[in-house]
Amino acid sequence: MTASPAPALSVLDLVPVRAGQTSPQAVAASLALVRRADELGYRRYWFAEHHNMPAVASTTPPVLAAAAAARTERIRVGSGGVMLPNHSPLVVAEQFAALEALAPGRVDLGIGRAPGSDPVITQLLRMSGTTSDVERFPDHIRDILALTSGEGATLRFTSGGTYDVHATPAATTTPEVWLLGSSDYSAQLAASLGLPYVFANHFSGAGLERALDLYREQFRPSTHLERPRTFLTANAVAAASDALAEERMLPQARMMARLRGNLPLVALETVEQAAEAEASDRLAAPLLDGLRRRWFVGTGPEARARLAAFAAQHGVDEVMVSPVAAAYDDDPMDATPARVETLELLVG
């Protein structure tokens, strides 16, 4: 049997915070990881947006992307994604126009419709800053596309007259806008707007085939994109042996079990902490078989082969991996050796 061609690889980072680790240490570890990803030839590096989670320091993708751009040479940086209902479209456009000025031709603006938080945080965001109406999500995507273009956007007053608005005074390049999602809605909207689309398979694989079919069947060419363009996300752990990969996936599996069980969230356990706890509470046990099927866990050659087959099965030439390998008790707090090893082994 002929092996599937290797897809291009990219990275999705939630900036995990493990037990005993500070936010500065977690951010330092991720910035070291993006430097290594750049050296290894990964295509892009995106930061997620989540709020008020003890195990996640990725709250502000544009800030983290700016820091990543300053420390790298060629890799694309951006958001996976900005949760647009939490923000003013003009502010998002200005942030990513500024990023594009800092790193021309290297910036991706991935946009999602979910809040990335619980209802309390959503309300706090609305109380403490300018947000956007989720029901006007398609309009706000169009606004951002216009605001970041060289031509800018034009407001038309009901009383007559117009007013021009630009996210930056004199853009020469623009960030590449991607729609993110895990539902039919996002796939159909990306298709109708003629934008590239990413299915959030790392979060939920349910509905993947249908979403891709809808996107490809309903795609309308636009000034932004002539034909459908999509890739998929996936959780991955690669190690020198299957046993090592399995033990490094357990802390993240236990975190998923907490999320699904609506249990109190905690900082990410180390490998040793997770093994000790799982021996008694069996928190992740009901999930493990399913996660092993959906996640890419194993030796480098095994994980690479599965990723290639996955990409070929769904007709994509790129996979964005979330390296969910956990740390050990004695690992440096400002480094992530297991996540680095995952990225190294995935490229061979």
Side-chain angles (χ1 to χ4, degrees), residues 107-333:
V107 176
D108 294 331
L109 170 51
I111 300 175
R113 184 171 176 264
S117 58
D118 59 49
V120 175
I121 296 300
T122 299
Q123 186 62 29
L124 286 173
L125 286 165
R126 293 187 176 279
M127 290 170 58
S128 60
T130 303
T131 56
S132 60
D133 182 356
V134 69
E135 299 304 320
R136 294 192 58 208
F137 182 72
D139 292 334
H140 292 151
I141 296 293
R142 295 185 185 94
D143 291 343
I144 287 173
L145 291 169
L147 288 164
T148 54
S149 71
E151 297 77 17
T154 300
L155 299 178
R156 299 187 182 279
F157 300 120
T158 55
S159 58
T162 60
Y163 187 86
D164 293 335
V165 186
H166 296 78
T168 193
T172 55
T173 60
T174 60
E176 189 168 80
V177 175
W178 293 73
L179 252 58
L180 282 55
S182 56
S183 68
D184 294 355
Y185 175 88
S186 55
Q188 291 173 303
L189 179 60
S192 69
L193 296 177
L195 291 175
Y197 170 65
V198 181
F199 185 89
N201 179 72
H202 72 288
F203 180 72
S204 172
L208 167 59
E209 292 84 358
R210 175 175 168 80
L212 292 185
D213 287 346
L214 285 171
Y215 173 65
R216 288 165 173 156
E217 291 168 1
Q218 298 182 14
F219 182 84
R220 300 175 186 171
S222 70
T223 56
H224 309 285
L225 195 64
E226 292 182 358
R227 58 184 61 87
R229 183 182 179 195
T230 184
F231 65 78
L232 304 174
T233 62
N235 292 314
V237 181
S241 69
D242 288 337
L244 280 174
E246 285 277 335
E247 70 180 29
R248 293 174 186 178
M249 80 169 280
L250 184 59
Q252 190 67 36
R254 286 175 57 81
M255 184 63 64
M256 290 291 293
R258 286 184 175 277
L259 282 167
R260 293 188 182 185
N262 200 28
L263 298 173
L265 300 182
V266 297
L268 191 66
E269 295 166 324
T270 64
V271 170
E272 293 90 346
Q273 289 170 337
E276 182 179 355
E278 188 67 14
S280 58
D281 66 22
R282 306 288 289 168
L283 180 64
L287 291 180
L288 283 173
D289 285 345
L291 294 182
R292 288 188 188 101
R293 288 192 296 270
R294 290 201 302 109
W295 294 9
F296 297 80
V297 180
T299 64
E302 291 168 347
R304 286 199 306 273
R306 285 189 59 207
L307 283 169
F310 176 67
Q313 177 186 354
H314 297 291
V316 299
D317 63 0
E318 180 178 350
V319 177
M320 175 170 277
V321 296
S322 178
V324 293
Y328 292 89
D329 285 344
D330 58 357
D331 283 343
M333 286 292 184

Side-chain angles (χ1 to χ4, degrees), residues 51-63:
H51 301 281
N52 200 43
M53 299 179 70
V56 177
S58 183
T59 57
T60 55
V63 173

